[in-house]
Amino acid sequence: MKIRIIEMPLDFGGNRHGSDMGPSAIRLAGLKQRLATLEHEIITSFSPIDIHPQEYESPGRSDAKYLNQIVEACQVLATQAECSINQGEFPLVLGGDHSIALGTIAGVSTACKKQNKELGILYVDAHGDFNTHETSPSGNIHGMCLAASCGYGLPQLTQLYTTNRKIDPKNICYVGLRDIDPKEKLLMKEAGVTAFTMSDIDRQGFASVLQQVTSFFKSKVDAVHVSFDMDVIDPMFAPGVGIPLPGGLNYREALLLMEEMAATQMVVSAEFVEVNPVLDVRSQTARMAVELMARLLGDTIF
C-alpha cells in the first residue's frame, strides 16, 4: 500500500499549546521506519502550509477563535487528502489539534463521492467535537469540527472546500466518549450519531462493543475514515495529550480497536491528533501513536 504521511502542525483549535509539535514527535518516534517494516511504500509530505505561531496571530471572534487561520489551513489539507485518495494512496494525517479533521474529512469525502462510495467515520475521542459557535463554552474550533462536517455551524466551516455536507451523521460511530457538553449532547442525539461511551464499554465489555462497531460500518458504508484523538486513552498510558482525562481506554483496548478496523479492510484514510510532547513523558504518547498506526495498517502480533 502507498501511504502518504501528511504533517499538519496546527494548534489554533484549542487553548493548550504544544500539539503543533505532535507531528515531529511522532516522526521522531520512528513512524516511517515502523510502517516500512510492514512493507508499505511511504511517501512523506511535510506541512503543506506556512503556520505562524498562535501567539502572533489574532483570535478574531470569541465564539470561533482563529477561524480564518483554521479555514485557510484546512482548505489546503482537504486538497492534499483528496489528491492522495485519487492517486490510490492512503492519506495518514498527523496533527496538530482535532480542528484539522475539518480538512481531512472534507478531502476524503469529496474523493469518495467521486468514486460513488459511501463514507463512514470512526471517531475515537473522549469528546464529541459536536459543538457549534452557538453552543461551545470555549469558542475553540477543535470542539466543533465534526458538527461542521455534518453541516451544523458557521458557513465558513460547513462549506469548507465544498458547499455540500461532508458526512451523514448516521454514518458516524464514536468510541470512548466520556466528556460531552450538555447542548452538544442534544445536538448529537438530534443528528443521529452512534456512540459508545466509556460507560457502554464498562457495561457491555469491549469485545461486544468492537463487534457492534465493525458491524455498524459493514452494514452502512463502503469506506471508513478513522479520526483518532489520543486523549481517548487513559492518561496513565498517554499523558502527552491536549486534554488528559482519567477513565479512558487502556493500551490493549486501543490497539485492539485498530486491529479490528484493519481487519474490515474498509479503512481508506486516518488522522491521529492531539499528541502534545510538552506534556509527554519520555515520548510515551508519541510512541503509542506510532504503534496504533501500525496496527491500523496491518500489523498483527502473530
Side-chain angles (χ1 to χ4, degrees):
M1 181 191 299
K2 290 184 179 180
I3 300 171
R4 180 172 294 276
I5 300 172
I6 304 172
E7 298 190 3
M8 280 298 290
L10 185 73
D11 74 343
F12 281 42
N15 286 333
R16 182 169 285 175
H17 299 335
S19 60
D20 58 324
M21 295 182 281
S24 59
I26 295 170
R27 178 173 9 100
L28 291 171
L31 176 62
K32 184 176 180 180
Q33 298 90 327
R34 183 71 176 85
L35 297 184
T37 65
L38 305 177
E39 300 184 352
H40 294 303
E41 180 182 346
I42 309 302
I43 305 166
T44 305
S45 296
F46 298 110
S47 176
I49 57 174
D50 181 19
I51 303 174
H52 297 152
Q54 188 182 122
E55 291 78 7
Y56 296 100
E57 295 283 344
S58 169
R61 54 192 296 169
S62 61
D63 60 350
K65 299 171 186 173
Y66 301 101
L67 175 65
N68 294 335
Q69 295 92 331
I70 290 171
V71 167
E72 182 180 354
C74 287
Q75 290 275 14
V76 176
L77 175 57
T79 301
Q80 294 258 329
E82 182 188 1
C83 289
S84 182
I85 294 278
N86 290 341
Q87 293 169 9
E89 300 167 349
F90 184 108
L92 178 60
V93 184
L94 313 181
D97 67 59
H98 220 154
S99 65
I100 69 168
L102 286 159
T104 313
I105 293 171
V108 172
S109 68
T110 300
C112 285
K113 283 184 175 72
K114 290 179 179 177
Q115 297 174 9
N116 294 315
K117 291 181 178 179
E118 186 79 8
L119 179 66
I121 293 180
L122 174 64
Y123 210 79
V124 192
D125 200 333
H127 308 91
D129 294 351
F130 220 85
N131 275 301
T132 70
H133 64 294
E134 296 176 326
T135 67
S136 172
S138 65
N140 292 330
I141 291 177
H142 73 167
M144 307 179 194
C145 53
L146 197 52
S149 298
C150 292
Y152 299 96
L154 291 169
Q156 295 97 314
L157 299 178
T158 61
Q159 298 179 23
L160 187 143
Y161 197 56
T162 61
T163 57
N164 58 295
R165 182 177 69 173
K166 310 308 182 296
I167 185 74
D168 184 340
K170 292 180 174 56
N171 291 343
I172 293 172
C173 184
Y174 285 92
V175 173
L177 290 171
R178 60 187 186 278
D179 184 17
I180 312 172
D181 297 316
K183 292 182 179 179
E184 177 185 32
K185 185 187 300 185
L186 293 175
L187 186 56
M188 291 169 69
K189 290 183 175 181
E190 175 190 318
V193 302
T194 295
F196 294 98
T197 68
M198 288 308 302
S199 294
D200 293 323
I201 292 171
D202 290 339
R203 292 189 188 101
Q204 300 177 33
F206 198 61
S208 173
V209 168
L210 279 178
Q211 192 277 326
Q212 293 175 72
V213 169
T214 54
S215 296
F216 172 89
F217 289 117
K218 289 176 180 177
S219 66
K220 283 180 171 287
V221 301
D222 307 302
V224 178
H225 169 67
V226 173
S227 190
F228 198 110
D229 189 321
M230 293 298 292
D231 73 16
V232 75
I233 302 167
D234 194 280
M236 179 187 301
F237 306 100
V241 298
I243 307 177
L245 288 170
L249 296 178
N250 64 36
Y251 191 77
R252 270 304 314 158
E253 288 170 340
L255 289 177
L256 185 57
L257 176 59
M258 295 297 94
E259 291 170 10
E260 290 297 301
M261 289 307 299
T264 67
Q265 298 186 327
M266 298 177 70
V267 180
V268 297
S269 58
E271 64 201 344
F272 286 77
V273 303
E274 300 286 2
V275 171
N276 189 331
V278 174
L279 304 173
D280 210 358
V281 178
R282 295 188 296 276
S283 298
Q284 180 178 341
T285 309
R287 292 199 309 271
M288 186 173 186
V290 169
E291 191 60 29
L292 288 165
M293 293 178 216
R295 298 301 173 91
L296 181 63
L297 291 164
D299 192 22
T300 57
I301 293 175
F302 185 72

